[in-house]
Amino acid sequence: NSRGIADNSYRKSKFAQAFQKTHQMRFVDFPIFSHGEIYGDKFMLISWETPVIAVLVQAKHVSDNFKKYFELVWKAGKR
């Protein structure tokens, strides 16, 4: 089950509305970076601005810390 977090400015976007059909989504009142993915000991940060930029970090402590951050922001978010 995939979850996503976005700031309130994306609440009415086509992306957020489509994402919510198949994923859990929460919104926050503060800016957050564009997109992050966690898979095992890997964390990928993606900016969808032009040009698209992605940074992949393979480090367990980084992915573990991002998981903690995500859970804190998830709890602060609203549906």
Side-chain angles (χ1 to χ4, degrees):
N1 193 8
S2 183
R3 300 182 290 167
I5 301 170
D7 67 62
N8 280 321
S9 67
Y10 288 98
R11 186 179 287 276
K12 294 182 180 180
S13 74
K14 291 179 183 179
F15 170 77
Q17 291 181 8
F19 189 86
Q20 290 181 83
K21 292 178 182 177
T22 56
H23 303 78
Q24 295 180 51
M25 188 81 183
R26 295 213 179 154
F27 298 91
V28 294
D29 295 330
F30 49 88
I32 59 173
F33 57 84
S34 323
H35 188 88
E37 295 281 335
I38 305 168
Y39 184 75
D41 66 346
K42 297 176 183 78
F43 169 68
M44 184 166 50
L45 180 63
I46 305 167
S47 171
W48 294 107
E49 302 291 325
T50 303
V52 175
I53 298 169
V55 178
L56 178 63
V57 178
Q58 185 171 3
K60 184 168 178 11
H61 70 281
V62 174
S63 63
D64 287 348
N65 284 330
F66 187 77
K67 287 175 194 174
K68 291 175 189 174
Y69 168 78
F70 181 92
E71 292 303 330
L72 288 171
V73 176
W74 182 259
K75 288 177 185 175
K78 297 180 177 112
R79 294 178 188 201

